[in-house]
Each structure stands twice: as structure tokens, then as C-alpha cells.
């Protein structure tokens, strides 16, 4: 513990809630691309795609400029269009639902299971209509959602499943790697996630048809594949067959991603270790609820979220949050339920549609968790949390 006696705060230096972990090998791999023939989508992107597909155990992987673009591509490939309904969770980043709006579809929010904070499959079932086309479960904090039940629902109603696995690279569900289970799975390589490519995203799939749509979508809807083209004007000829986007990843990003992927298991092991330290420190605490884990999955621990029993405190979450920031602990809140964001309110989504998620939002704080943290950092967080909670104990 780095207790500063003068002003009596736990840390002198601010500890962020997350940050990237870049080493000399990562830097060298990026430099190599900078002096090569390709800067954008070339051999390094193909190599990164192969490496991720092999890691998760999928047939195909398609890299995108970021995870949100990848989700947009997945919704396009799933055929989401005007008025189609897609069921997702509100306890996520806005991108999980925005991707449906990009395709003029309608996100439908199913409430969470109050134990695991993941989407509740029974709530999914109750929201299915004739317009429902897909389900986007999110593996909140890295803990896999109840995929066997979700897959069964998808089968019963002929729906596609797109997993938002931005938190779950390296996680497993019933001994299967996340990324190998559903029609499509999205990963993000934003710097706060398990591995980074600066910005970057990926869709993994076993379907050749979906793979081909994704490839074409990320490059304007253009194909140069002779088998797919309607006409042939000559060797220069290509066809734009639908309205796609420029969502390509660069070779610079991909080289960083491939180098980072080699360290993923080590990063996840660190995250699990620090999680155990937090769990032990707060086990049985009368005010702090530690994250509940399902037997069916093994989380890759993107986030460590504690839940407070506010009735036992003299203040709200906001005061606890601010007191932790004063101690230089970079806490955060994941997430503001998506349906409560002003844009979504403007679309007509109302407070009260997902009471469990709304209640959870009032009571949670995300503690710092990333592989480059030291044991001392983890202990500083524990000290600060205990001190702040005791200070506001009723
Ligand atoms: C990070 C994240 C995304 C979006 O990924 P980007 O690469 O930042 O576009 C989507 N969903 C969830 C749950 C995320 O955490």
C-alpha cells in the first residue's frame, strides 16, 4: 500500500480502470509493416484473421476497422432491414443496439438476470414477435451468457444469434471457446479490451455465405470475384452490388493485433488472478456484492463490477464513486442502460421496461482491472474501497 501520510490518500498516482499492455515485440511488428509494401488491408490482416479464427475455433474471421463496424456488418449479413426486431440487453455499450438501428431495424431490450447481469433467456422468449430476426447477447464483463438456452430459442423461432463478445475474448462456455458457438461473434480490439489493435474488430463465423457478405460489406459492397459478377468488362472490372462501407482494418492495426494475440492467455490469466484477489477481499462483505459466476462458463474478466447495498450506506453510489476518484482509484460505471440514453428516449424507449437493469445501474461500480496492474495496485484498490465504504457505513 502506498499510503501517503501527508494528505492521507491511498494512492499518489491515478490508477486507470483499464489500459493497454504494449511491449517491444508489439512495437517491432508494427514497424515491420510500416516498411513493407502494404499499409492497409494486405497480408497482415489475413494473418490476424487466421490467428483469431484458429484461437477461437471458427472456420472464418473477418476483420473490421472497429468492433462497432463489425457489429454493423453482422446485422447486414444477418439480413436485418426495415422494421426487423433484434433482441439485446440494455446492460451494454450503445454499439450493441446501434448496429440494429444502422440497418433500420428495431432494438428490443430484454431485461437481465439480476444474479449474473447477463440477458435473461426467458425475457428474450417473452419478447419474440413475427418481426424478430436475431438475438444479440452480450457476455457482460466476460462472463458468457446462457448460450445453450439462447441457441434453443433461436432454433425454436428460426432466429440468428450474433454474440457481442467485446468483453469475452478468451472466455469459454461449456468448454467451448467464445467465438465458435453462434452464427456470428463479434470481438473488439479497443485499447481497454483484452488485446488491442488501436481500433479494430472481428466477426468469427462458420458460414461461408455470411463470411462472403461480411467481406463485401466492409469494402463498399464491391466484389472482384468473377463467379459473383454479372458482367465482365475486362481485367480492371469490379462490381459494386450493394451499399457497403469502407470498414477495412489496416495492416498496421492487424500486425499489432497478431502480436497481442500471442499474449492473450497470459493477459487473461492475470485478469483471473486479480479477480480472485478482489473476490477474496470482499467475500462475505455486508455491503459489497462480488460478481456471481455461472458454472456453465469461464469468464475472461474484462471488467470487475461490484454492487453496493445502498440501504446500508448513508450516501448514493455517486458519493462512493467520487470518494474513490479522490483516492486516485480510476473507477467507472458499466453501463448506463442503453434504453435510458437520450437518443433512445427520443425514439420512445421508456424507463421501466427493464427494471432489473435500471436497478443494477444505480448500484454498480467498476474497479480497475487490467494485466499491467501490479499486486500493489490491486491492494490499493481494496484498501480504498474498504476505507470509503466504512466511511459511509450507516
Ligand atoms: C467495446 C464494445 C463495443 C464496440 O467496440 P469498438 O471496437 O469500440 O467499436 C461493443 N460492445 C461492447 C459490449 C463493447 O464493450
Amino acid at each position: 500500500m502506498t499510503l501517503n501520510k501527508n494528505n492521507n490518500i491511498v494512492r499518489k498516482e491515478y490508477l486507470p480502470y483499464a489500459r493497454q499492455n504494449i511491449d517491444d515485440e508489439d512495437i517491432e511488428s508494427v514497424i515491420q509493416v510500416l516498411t513493407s509494401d502494404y499499409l492497409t488491408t494486405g497480408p497482415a490482416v489475413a494473418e490476424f484473421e487466421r490467428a483469431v479464427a484458429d484461437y477461437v475455433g471458427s472456420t472464418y474471421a473477418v476483420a473490421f476497422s472497429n468492433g462497432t463496424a463489425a457489429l454493423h456488418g453482422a446485422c447486414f449479413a444477418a439480413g436485418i432491414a426495415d422494421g426487423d426486431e433484434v433482441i439485446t440487453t440494455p446492460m451494454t455499450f450503445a454499439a450493441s443496439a446501434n448496429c440494429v438501428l444502422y440497418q433500420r431495424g428495431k432494438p428490443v431490450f430484454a431485461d437481465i438476470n439480476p444474479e449474473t447481469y447477463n440477458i435473461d433467456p426467458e425475457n428474450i422468449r417473452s419478447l419474440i414477435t413475427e418481426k424478430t430476426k436475431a438475438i444479440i447477447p452480450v457476455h457482460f464483463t466476460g462472463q458468457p451468457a446462457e448460450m445453450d438456452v439462447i441457441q434453443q430459442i433461436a432454433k425454436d423461432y428460426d432466429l440468428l444469434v450474433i454474440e457481442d463478445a467485446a468483453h469475452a475474448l478468451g472466455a469459454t462456455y461449456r468448454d467451448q471457446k467464445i467465438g465458435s458457438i453462434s452464427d456470428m461473434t463479434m470481438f473488439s480490439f479497443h485499447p481497454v479490451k483484452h488485446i488491442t489493435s488501436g481500433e479494430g474488430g472481428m466477426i468469427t463465423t462458420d458460414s461461408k455465405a455470411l463470411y462472403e457478405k461480411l467481406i463485401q460489406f466492409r469494402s463498399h459492397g464491391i466484389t472482384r470475384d468473377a463467379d459473383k459478377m454479372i458482367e465482365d468488362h475486362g481485367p480492371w472490372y469490379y462490381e459494386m452490388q450493394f451499399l457497403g462501407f469502407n470498414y477495412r482494418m489496416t495492416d498496421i492495426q492487424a500486425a499489432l493485433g497478431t502480436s497481442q494475440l500471442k499474449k492473450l492467455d497470459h493477459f487473461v490469466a492475470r485478469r483471473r488472478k486479480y479477480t480472485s484477489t478482489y473476490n477474496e477481499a470482499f467475500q462475505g462483505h455486508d455491503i459489497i456484492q462480488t460478481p456471481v459466476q455461472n458454472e456453465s462458463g469461464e469468464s475472461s474478466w474484462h471488467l470487475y463490477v461490484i454492487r453496493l447495498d445502498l440501504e446500508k450506506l448513508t450516501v448514493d453510489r455517486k458519493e462512493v464513486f467520487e470518494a474513490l476518484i479522490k483516492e486516485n482509484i480510476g473507477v467507472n460505471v458499466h453501463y448506463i442502460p442503453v434504453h435510458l440514453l437520450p437518443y433512445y428516449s427520443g425514439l420512445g424507449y421508456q424507463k421501466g421496461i427493464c427494471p432489473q437493469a435500471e436497478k443494477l445501474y444505480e448500484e454498480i461500480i467498476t474497479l480497475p482491472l487490467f494485466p499491467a496492474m501490479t499486486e500493489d495496485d490491486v491492494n490499493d484498490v481494496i484498501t480504498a474501497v474498504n476505507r470509503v465504504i466504512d466511511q459511509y457505513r450507516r
Side-chain angles (χ1 to χ4, degrees), residues 372-391:
M373 278 174 91
T374 65
E375 301 259 355
D376 281 349
D377 293 334
V378 178
N379 288 326
D380 284 346
V381 176
I382 293 166
T383 303
V385 168
N386 280 326
R387 178 189 292 189
V388 168
I389 293 293
D390 285 341
Q391 176 187 332

Side-chain angles (χ1 to χ4, degrees), residues 104-152:
R104 299 169 184 271
K106 183 182 169 204
V108 174
F109 296 103
D111 207 354
I112 55 163
N113 173 326
E115 293 278 305
T116 64
Y117 314 155
N118 269 325
I119 194 165
D120 185 332
E122 288 319 308
N123 290 336
I124 296 176
R125 214 181 264 281
S126 70
L127 290 167
I128 289 170
T129 73
E130 283 184 349
K131 289 184 175 169
T132 310
K133 287 281 162 60
I135 307 168
I136 304 182
V138 178
H139 306 303
F140 181 68
T141 72
Q143 162 155 248
E146 278 307 326
M147 290 314 300
D148 50 1
V149 190
I150 293 170
Q151 292 293 348
Q152 188 57 51

Side-chain angles (χ1 to χ4, degrees), residues 338-359:
V338 176
H339 66 287
L340 301 183
L341 297 170
Y343 183 75
Y344 279 83
S345 302
L347 294 178
Y349 293 88
Q350 285 179 351
K351 198 168 179 177
I353 59 172
C354 294
Q356 295 292 354
E358 291 165 22
K359 182 164 194 296

